[in-house]
């Protein structure tokens, strides 16, 4: 059976308001037997690579740098920092904040795509907690999401580690790793 191995070159142009049911045509084009290009007109596009088996996950650098004395409860996160509705409130715990990143426990909370959305929320939270200016961030590109387990199996609690790779006046870029029960589920590069 064919599986989704990677989602690559994701570009986002406009937000989808999902407070109410949202319907939009997804157009696809096969670029090879294992590679498809998908486009949601005016909203986003990406390439999807297929495979017959998941690769073994390599070792990832999960170092978030020197620890910072910052803590937040799940309630504080959504009361004071983030705007997401209930179906997308999946940051359950911030376990460590460092000079180069953040680690926490996240879960999908019912909304479509909420697990990966919460990974991005955790990185956005780190920016709010550590930057002194331009602290509001919105995802616009993802270089690559690589899956090491079934994409549709998103049940349970994931340890999410966001590691800053670049910060300039326009972009904050991170690599994000999601693990469940000590096993890497997916790796996101260039979020």
């Amino acid at each position: 059976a064919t599986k989704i191995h990677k989602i690559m070159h994701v570009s986002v142009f406009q937000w989808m308001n999902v407070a109410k049911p949202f319907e939009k045509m997804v157009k696809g084009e096969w670029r090879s037997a294992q590679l498809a290009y998908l486009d949601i007109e005016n909203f986003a596009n990406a390439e999807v690579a297929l495979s017959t088996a998941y690769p073994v996950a390599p070792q990832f650098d999960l170092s978030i740098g020197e620890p910072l004395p910052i803590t937040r409860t799940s309630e504080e996160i959504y009361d004071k920092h983030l705007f997401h509705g209930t179906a997308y409130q999946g940051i359950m715990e911030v376990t460590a904040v460092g000079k180069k990143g953040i680690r926490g426990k996240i879960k999908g909370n019912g909304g479509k795509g909420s697990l990966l959305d919460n990974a991005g929320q955790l990185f956005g939270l780190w920016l709010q907690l550590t930057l002194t200016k331009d602290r509001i961030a919105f995802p616009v590109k993802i270089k690559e999401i690589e899956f090491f387990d079934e994409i549709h199996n998103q049940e349970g609690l994931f340890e999410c580690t966001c590691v800053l790779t670049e910060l300039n006046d326009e972009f904050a870029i991170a690599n994000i790793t999601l693990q469940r029960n000590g096993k890497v589920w997916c790796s996101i590069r260039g979020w």
Side-chain angles (χ1 to χ4, degrees):
T2 306
K3 304 162 184 338
I4 294 174
H5 174 212
K6 292 182 182 179
I7 302 172
M8 305 172 298
H9 313 297
V10 179
S11 292
V12 179
F13 311 109
Q14 186 181 160
W15 292 105
M16 295 176 186
N17 183 350
V18 294
K20 292 188 243 123
F22 177 90
E23 230 178 86
K24 192 76 176 165
M25 174 84 64
V26 178
K27 292 183 181 170
E29 170 189 316
W30 288 104
R31 298 224 160 134
S32 75
Q34 300 292 313
L35 185 69
Y37 172 79
L38 300 177
D39 180 62
I40 304 172
E41 191 178 8
N42 299 327
F43 287 94
N45 60 42
E47 291 181 323
V48 177
L50 305 175
S51 177
T52 53
Y54 293 109
V56 174
Q59 289 296 114
F60 290 96
D61 178 7
L62 302 178
S63 167
I64 59 170
E66 185 183 322
L68 297 172
I70 300 171
T71 59
R72 288 293 184 279
T73 65
S74 183
E75 294 74 27
E76 287 172 324
I77 291 166
Y78 292 105
D79 284 347
K80 299 178 178 161
H81 297 284
L82 303 180
F83 59 85
H84 302 77
T86 312
Y88 289 87
Q89 293 180 6
I91 300 175
M92 307 313 292
E93 182 185 348
V94 171
T95 51
V97 179
K99 285 192 171 174
K100 279 180 45 193
I102 189 167
R103 185 172 296 117
K105 300 226 185 321
I106 66 170
K107 67 179 182 112
N109 215 31
K112 278 196 187 293
S114 63
L115 179 62
L116 292 179
D117 190 75
N118 277 286
Q121 286 178 38
L122 192 63
F123 180 50
L125 177 66
W126 179 81
L127 294 168
Q128 285 195 23
L129 296 174
T130 60
L131 297 185
T132 53
K133 66 179 184 81
D134 298 331
R135 297 166 57 207
I136 304 299
F138 295 99
V140 292
K141 286 184 187 229
I142 300 170
K143 185 175 180 183
E144 179 180 276
I145 305 170
E146 183 172 15
F147 294 94
F148 301 99
D149 201 347
E150 174 56 50
I151 187 175
H152 299 294
N153 180 0
Q154 300 182 14
E155 295 300 313
L157 205 57
F158 290 78
E159 182 173 78
C160 180
T161 305
C162 306
V163 180
L164 181 74
T165 59
E166 187 179 338
L167 181 63
N168 59 43
D169 288 344
E170 196 176 358
F171 293 107
I173 303 171
N175 289 340
I176 302 174
T177 307
L178 272 68
Q179 298 177 81
R180 179 175 47 198
N181 302 322
K183 185 176 179 235
V184 176
W185 179 73
C186 90
S187 162
I188 305 168
R189 288 184 277 285
W191 179 297

